[in-house]
Amino acid sequence: MLAHLCAGFSPNNQSGRTAGTRVMFDAVIIEKNDGQQTASFRQVAQDQLPAGDVLVIVEWSTLNYKDALAITGKGPIVKSWPMVPGVDFSGTVVESRSSDFQPGDKVLLNGWGVGEKHWGGLAGLAQVNAEWLIALPTAFSTRQAMILGTAGYTAMLCVMALEKADVRPADGPVLVTGASGGVGSIAVMLLSELGYATVAVTGRMAEKDYLESLGASRVIGRDLFTQKTRPLEKAEWAGAIDVVGGQVLASVCAAIRQRGAVAACGLAGSMDLPLTVAPFILRGVSLLGIDSALCPREQRIRAWDRLAGLIDVTRLEDVVSEYPLSQAIEAAHALMDGKTRGRILINVAG
Ligand code: NDP
């Protein structure tokens, strides 16, 4: 089956060419030699793929903050060498030893240590465990699923966590920090779609119109949250989704209303959390941790189903930058240098 599908690849498609009897495909590879980490774009043989019971032709991947850290070596993301980065991908099953998937099925994957401990999505082929994959929701093409990618899926998990903590639209306004980033902008869309008065917090007030177009009822500056606060501030917000961490998360927690909740998923500002227990013990505030990578399968399927019902992906097209796989390394450096905006889509199948 693989040979058949590979033989059917267009000559322009760099993935899946054969050298002799070995199937070769293009990949971004991160290697470590003599303590030095390097990333390169080159051909890899199929027999080098890690073990897994489903083989997928990757069509689209994305570049997440974590991928950029891995590729540039600026963060300790990679746990085994050599590594193909890419914490998410969408594509088509070519071979399967699992009864859950058949050749031709459209699938997507987020997390599970893929791109960190197990070869990931920045390659023409991926071999993974069946339980890591979910069927592509019919509402999305493989490209649209990756426009949302791990950022959209994480934003949905954050919203679901707030709902589970009983934060309702009638309870009052909900904050989203890092609002113009990937997770933040989709969180703004989701909350406003669900009827929450959504207040976007950003360090880039130039993005005010964009954030309002996504549904923010108000856009406020990040600087309101960057100074040390009293243990409890005026209780203004029914809930929050935070991607920033550090003082921003601490300031947000101090201003949450009685029995409100904060879904914390990121550390774009800092890993620290300089706060007191006052919001938790005096206002009953809940701090909800979000770990998209190891989230149970049933919950991730529910998250993708809800995304399919709530999101009009075409509204995100304006903030998508698309790169071929051959330019993923350059894109990772641009992301780390703060020179990119919105969602970075990697066209693997080209
Ligand atoms: P992006 O880089 O797209 O967005 C992050 C946003 O945070 C920026 O757009 C900016 O928003 C704000 N920001 C950036 N730097 C700082 C800073 N120094 N201080 C305060 N705010 C800052 O990243 P993503 O949205 O993809 O991811 C956001 C975070 O969530 C990351 O830390 C990522 O690792 C994490 N994450 C966690 C997941 C999980 O499972 N827990 C899954 C996915 C992501 P603005 O300019 O609007 O202020």
Side-chain angles (χ1 to χ4, degrees):
M1 175 57 84
L2 176 65
H4 167 72
L5 280 171
C6 287
F9 279 2
S10 105
N12 291 331
N13 180 351
Q14 296 296 301
S15 304
R17 289 186 304 215
T18 56
T21 54
R22 289 180 100 192
V23 173
M24 305 294 290
F25 61 93
D26 285 344
V28 173
I29 295 275
I30 307 175
E31 287 161 300
K32 200 172 203 176
N33 293 308
D34 300 327
Q36 277 292 95
Q37 182 183 315
T38 53
S40 59
F41 170 71
R42 62 179 168 79
Q43 289 253 296
V44 179
Q46 189 205 339
D47 53 26
Q48 290 177 267
L49 281 167
D53 45 15
V54 183
L55 183 65
V56 179
I57 293 184
V58 179
E59 294 168 20
W60 296 92
S61 186
T62 71
L63 211 57
N64 296 280
Y65 189 71
K66 209 179 211 178
D67 303 318
L69 284 174
I71 292 172
T72 59
K74 292 195 171 150
I77 303 297
V78 176
K79 310 291 187 310
S80 92
W81 311 88
M83 180 53 55
V84 171
V87 301
D88 50 19
F89 66 78
S90 59
T92 305
V93 172
V94 220
E95 283 179 2
S96 173
R97 285 188 296 283
S98 159
S99 55
D100 290 342
F101 296 100
Q102 309 302 320
D105 286 352
K106 298 285 182 191
V107 290
L108 66 83
L109 184 147
N110 301 99
W112 294 117
V114 166
E116 303 174 52
K117 295 183 253 184
H118 187 101
W119 285 16
L122 292 176
L125 289 174
Q127 189 155 260
V128 296
N129 294 338
E131 58 267 32
W132 298 345
L133 290 168
I134 66 171
L136 186 76
T138 50
F140 299 132
S141 65
T142 48
R143 180 176 179 277
Q144 288 173 326
M146 283 301 109
I147 288 178
L148 294 169
T150 297
Y153 151 65
T154 303
M156 191 71 243
L157 290 178
C158 290
V159 172
M160 286 163 59
L162 290 183
E163 289 175 334
K164 196 169 168 206
D166 217 20
V167 176
R168 304 288 156 202
D171 295 339
V174 171
L175 287 176
V176 177
T177 65
S180 54
V183 176
S185 52
I186 299 170
V188 169
M189 282 177 88
L190 288 168
L191 287 169
S192 68
E193 198 60 43
L194 288 163
Y196 290 87
T198 309
V199 179
V201 181
T202 182
R204 289 181 273 179
M205 285 307 277
E207 301 292 352
K208 184 171 182 284
D209 290 349
Y210 164 61
L211 290 165
E212 286 174 349
S213 79
L214 295 180
S217 53
R218 216 155 31 109
V219 180
I220 59 180
R222 185 202 297 160
D223 48 352
L224 294 173
F225 298 86
T226 51
Q227 303 305 315
K228 187 168 167 42
T229 60
R230 293 173 294 176
L232 291 176
E233 291 289 340
K234 183 178 168 211
E236 281 193 75
W237 318 107
I241 293 177
D242 177 71
V243 310
V244 172
Q247 184 58 53
V248 170
L249 175 55
S251 302
V252 167
C253 287
I256 296 289
R257 292 182 182 177
Q258 204 71 30
R259 306 200 72 77
V262 180
C265 74
L267 41 59
S270 170
M271 182 100 154
D272 295 336
L273 189 49
L275 97 168
T276 74
V277 296
F280 312 119
I281 63 172
L282 298 175
R283 287 193 182 147
V285 170
S286 300
L287 184 55
L288 313 166
I290 304 298
D291 64 331
S292 70
L294 298 180
C295 171
R297 191 157 188 271
E298 302 68 42
Q299 205 176 327
R300 59 179 70 215
I301 291 172
R302 230 173 17 254
W304 275 101
D305 282 348
R306 294 222 36 217
L307 280 170
L310 285 168
I311 286 270
D312 174 5
V313 188
T314 57
R315 287 168 68 199
L316 288 166
E317 282 287 356
D318 285 352
V319 290
V320 171
S321 327
E322 205 173 298
Y323 295 84
L325 183 60
S326 57
Q327 286 173 22
I329 296 172
E330 288 90 320
H333 283 279
L335 191 150
M336 287 314 296
D337 294 343
K339 292 180 183 152
T340 58
R341 171 179 182 260
R343 302 285 299 134
I344 302 175
L345 207 49
I346 305 294
N347 185 349
V348 178

